[in-house]
Amino acid sequence: MHEITSRAPEKVDLNNVRQIKGFDAIQADYPDYLTDESKLTMGAFDFLFFPEDELELAAVVRAMAAQATPMTIAGARTGVVGGCVPKGGALISLERLNQALDLYYLKSADEWRVKAQTGVLLSQLAAMVTSKSFPDLDALAEPDVGQRIQQFKDDPVRYFYPPDPTEMSASLGGTVATNASGARTYRYGPTRDWVRGIRVLTIKGEFLDIPRGKYFSSPSGGFTIYDSEGGHFPIRIPDYSMPRTKCTSGFYAAPHMDLVDLFIGSEGAFGIITAVDVALLAWEPKCSIVQFVDSDDRALALVQALRADKRLQLDFMEFYSENAIKLLRQMQEQDATRVGMPPIPETAGAAIFFELSFDPDSTCPDYCFLEETVAAAGACLESSWAGYETRELDRFKRFRHLLPEKVTQVISERKKNCPEIHRLSSDLAVPDEHLLGIWDLYRTRLNQAGIEWVGFGHVGNNHFHISSMPRNLQELTTGMDIYREFAQAAVACGGSISAEHGVGKIKAKFLKIMYSEDQISQMKCLKQAFDPKMLLNPGNIFVS
């Protein structure tokens, strides 16, 4: 089926929506809304809206569209590519659409699902699922919902939502709009694999309810969207193929594709995601291990050894380069309580952080094969941290978040002296066979340029985060030029220019490295089919 009809909601008065008018007032009282984790700033904009529900959001969109005012949509503002940094017009914050809407078990799929509004944070979703407590749903006082919650509580299995982006303070809708992934993508795949349905507000102020598995593109590669008044418009899926790596670069396209997948990772180009249905998975006990080694090269040798050992079922593999270890060691010396881990060994020159299933109740766990695999890569389990209790796993998770938080802090401080600079974090992925080559390029070029940088991230998917920390505008310019080289090299070996963060504004100039002019034109035509005046999220994906 490739036809779908949108529905018009009840109309409300725009004057009832909380709003701040005028850039001076916004800048003075709401400075956090001028940027996101990228620390990019774009200049003045005229309106800041805080809708309380979908009806208010629809009223804002209709009013802004009627006067051709550009609209930037913001969630938790944790993105690092400037996607929710306003470029004129209006900024619409979805943070108040933050309620859980439903919990249900689908027998045909044998899975529990949660439906939640776009502004629910991943940390809030995790807390609700882990505790099996849903205050928002309890407040509904509906018998059917209450019965489902009780059934979920009575289920002895512990559940979790697998996508695990670095920022657990990210909003659910934001992670869907960018198809965020994170560390556990290595085993569980990106956000796309866990979305079972979405609700989208169009530029016309009408809603599309899209369950997975109902609407598929026609044999010619298109859909037809009808509005509530009988009008319709066709949309055509671009004819390019996606790379065989993690990818959030441009719009998803595939033969006979599900309509829900078009919106996942679209960065809000076609409409505003207001609610999402996601699937849960049964939790297995885990053991987290940070294995220290003496060099970056040794760390990558360990990655290849762990990947080759089919006896291991790893959830993720995270990389810490030599300069990342140095920065963490400095943080530990300055404030050991912030790091919250034992002293980093003096011999550590790099590390691999990985997690695997572990049965704490086993009377004779045998992990000799892990010791053999680690030793074969020139490392020793004695030079590692390990933990499996819940509180220990939480400590390891906080440790994993320390480095990107530190990079953001450094950029924020330097921005005080040089307002033009922003965070520059490469987000490239390459096929397995190019892992060593791309790392050598990263390290060599940045060291030659004398730019301060750290390398870390999702090495299991050959997806390093190379975060440059420019001290001035010249270093930012140099860093952008080097990033272009990196992007060209990644694409040349079959990779992507952005593996999980999206394109946003910062990486829009690199899109033409990965796609031809004709393919980018197809993307723009697809965008304009939904948004003829290009009002939604201006400056994202396409260079304007």
Side-chain angles (χ1 to χ4, degrees):
M1 183 175 181
H2 55 271
E3 297 179 354
I4 182 173
T5 301
S6 60
R7 295 175 175 81
E10 175 187 344
K11 294 184 178 181
V12 300
D13 190 340
L14 181 65
N15 292 322
N16 294 330
V17 181
R18 186 162 184 263
Q19 56 189 282
I20 294 85
K21 298 180 181 179
F23 185 66
D24 289 343
I26 296 169
Q27 187 176 38
D29 298 330
Y30 299 88
D32 290 346
Y33 294 85
L34 306 185
T35 189
D36 60 10
E37 285 295 303
S38 71
K39 303 308 172 187
L40 177 71
T41 50
M42 296 295 294
F45 56 101
D46 301 316
F47 302 96
L48 174 58
F49 291 99
F50 294 96
E52 296 279 352
D53 54 35
E54 287 186 339
L55 296 182
E56 290 192 354
L57 175 61
V60 172
V61 170
R62 284 193 298 267
M64 295 296 101
Q67 58 192 45
T69 298
M71 291 165 272
T72 299
I73 312 304
R77 307 186 309 282
T78 58
V80 296
V81 294
C84 63
V85 177
K87 188 175 182 181
L91 176 66
I92 305 173
S93 172
L94 303 182
E95 64 191 75
R96 299 189 177 193
L97 277 70
N98 61 356
Q99 304 295 305
L101 300 174
D102 201 0
L103 168 73
Y104 59 98
Y105 176 76
L106 190 66
K107 187 175 182 179
S108 59
D110 188 25
E111 66 184 15
W112 281 98
R113 297 177 179 179
V114 174
K115 184 182 185 70
Q117 289 183 312
T118 187
V120 169
L121 304 184
L122 294 186
S123 58
Q124 295 171 330
L125 177 62
M128 288 186 287
V129 172
T130 300
S131 66
K132 295 192 174 183
S133 175
F134 296 82
D136 296 336
L137 301 184
D138 290 336
L140 295 176
E142 294 184 6
D144 288 348
V145 175
Q147 290 173 6
R148 292 197 292 273
I149 293 175
Q150 190 58 51
Q151 182 185 356
F152 187 63
K153 289 180 178 179
D154 291 342
D155 189 330
V157 176
R158 176 184 173 187
Y159 292 92
F160 75 114
Y161 176 55
D164 186 34
T166 301
E167 292 286 355
M168 288 300 286
S169 56
S171 66
L172 179 61
T175 60
V176 173
T178 57
N179 189 31
S181 48
R184 290 200 181 108
T185 306
Y186 182 66
R187 178 175 180 182
Y188 299 113
T191 295
R192 181 185 309 281
D193 294 355
W194 300 94
V195 174
R196 300 297 184 255
I198 58 175
R199 182 167 162 87
V200 178
L201 177 67
T202 70
I203 194 70
K204 292 184 178 181
E206 299 191 348
F207 288 97
L208 292 168
D209 287 293
I210 314 172
R212 182 173 289 284
K214 184 173 182 179
Y215 302 103
F216 295 93
S217 60
S218 66
S220 60
F223 296 90
T224 301
I225 311 294
Y226 288 83
D227 62 31
S228 62
E229 297 176 348
H232 70 281
F233 61 92
I235 59 175
R236 181 69 54 193
I237 305 303
D239 60 12
Y240 49 73
S241 298
M242 307 304 293
R244 57 187 179 92
T245 64
K246 290 172 69 176
C247 179
T248 58
S249 312
F251 303 140
Y252 182 82
H256 195 56
M257 66 179 284
D258 194 313
L259 181 59
V260 76
D261 285 322
L262 183 63
F263 291 90
I264 300 170
S266 67
E267 302 187 48
F270 310 135
I272 303 169
I273 297 171
T274 63
V276 186
D277 289 61
V278 297
L280 306 180
L281 185 66
W283 171 263
E284 301 171 352
K286 307 292 181 183
C287 178
S288 285
I289 300 173
V290 176
Q291 177 64 57
F292 295 102
V293 293
D294 59 13
S295 67
D296 294 341
D297 292 339
R298 189 79 74 187
L300 296 183
L302 177 58
V303 167
Q304 293 178 312
L306 291 171
R307 184 183 282 159
D309 191 334
K310 302 306 180 184
R311 295 170 295 181
L312 292 169
Q313 179 64 75
L314 303 183
D315 282 16
F316 59 74
M317 282 192 282
E318 298 286 281
F319 173 74
Y320 290 86
S321 66
E322 178 183 2
N323 48 16
I325 291 295
K326 287 180 179 178
L327 183 56
L328 286 167
R329 189 178 280 119
Q330 291 173 10
M331 294 171 61
Q332 199 167 50
E333 291 171 352
Q334 294 168 0
D335 184 0
T337 59
R338 180 184 177 191
V339 176
M341 300 294 277
I344 296 173
E346 293 182 2
T347 57
I352 297 298
F353 177 12
F354 57 96
E355 188 172 83
L356 69 162
S357 297
F358 172 76
D359 183 2
D361 297 323
S362 175
T363 57
C364 52
D366 181 8
Y367 285 96
C368 290
F369 63 88
L370 176 60
E371 187 172 12
E372 293 169 0
T373 301
V374 171
C380 176
L381 279 179
E382 292 181 359
S383 183
S384 67
W385 297 335
Y388 65 88
E389 294 182 350
T390 299
R391 59 186 180 131
E392 292 174 329
L393 295 177
D394 289 342
R395 288 174 64 197
F396 277 86
K397 189 166 188 174
R398 287 194 296 272
F399 174 77
R400 181 162 66 87
H401 294 175
L402 280 177
L403 209 56
E405 290 172 359
K406 180 62 176 179
V407 171
T408 300
Q409 179 186 347
V410 169
I411 294 298
S412 297
E413 287 299 315
R414 292 178 180 176
K415 195 174 179 69
K416 294 176 182 178
N417 295 322
C418 184
E420 296 89 351
I421 68 171
H422 56 76
R423 181 172 174 172
L424 182 57
S425 179
S426 73
D427 184 30
L428 312 165
V430 297
D432 289 356
E433 61 269 25
H434 295 284
L435 173 65
L436 300 183
I438 201 72
W439 170 251
D440 187 59
L441 175 65
Y442 294 161
R443 179 173 54 186
T444 301
R445 285 294 290 118
L446 288 167
N447 286 342
Q448 287 175 346
I451 294 176
E452 187 177 3
W453 66 282
V454 293
F456 60 96
H458 317 317
V459 71
N461 298 102
N462 311 307
H463 171 205
F464 299 106
H465 291 319
I466 308 299
S467 288
S468 302
M469 295 179 281
R471 289 161 284 215
N472 51 55
L473 196 55
Q474 179 57 52
E475 287 193 353
L476 177 64
T477 301
T478 300
M480 291 293 284
D481 290 340
I482 293 175
Y483 188 102
R484 181 178 295 277
E485 293 180 36
F486 293 166
Q488 290 169 337
V491 171
C493 60
S496 60
I497 64 167
S498 180
E500 70 173 349
H501 294 153
V503 174
K505 297 176 179 67
I506 292 177
K507 299 177 184 176
K509 64 184 70 176
F510 302 125
L511 197 68
K512 62 183 179 181
I513 294 173
M514 187 170 170
Y515 298 99
S516 68
E517 290 294 336
D518 178 64
Q519 290 169 337
I520 293 175
S521 178
Q522 291 180 50
M523 290 187 211
K524 288 183 178 178
C525 288
L526 179 56
K527 159 77 168 167
Q528 289 176 312
F530 284 98
D531 181 14
K533 296 181 180 179
M534 305 284 276
L535 297 178
L536 285 175
N537 295 302
N540 287 358
I541 302 180
F542 306 114
V543 176
S544 55

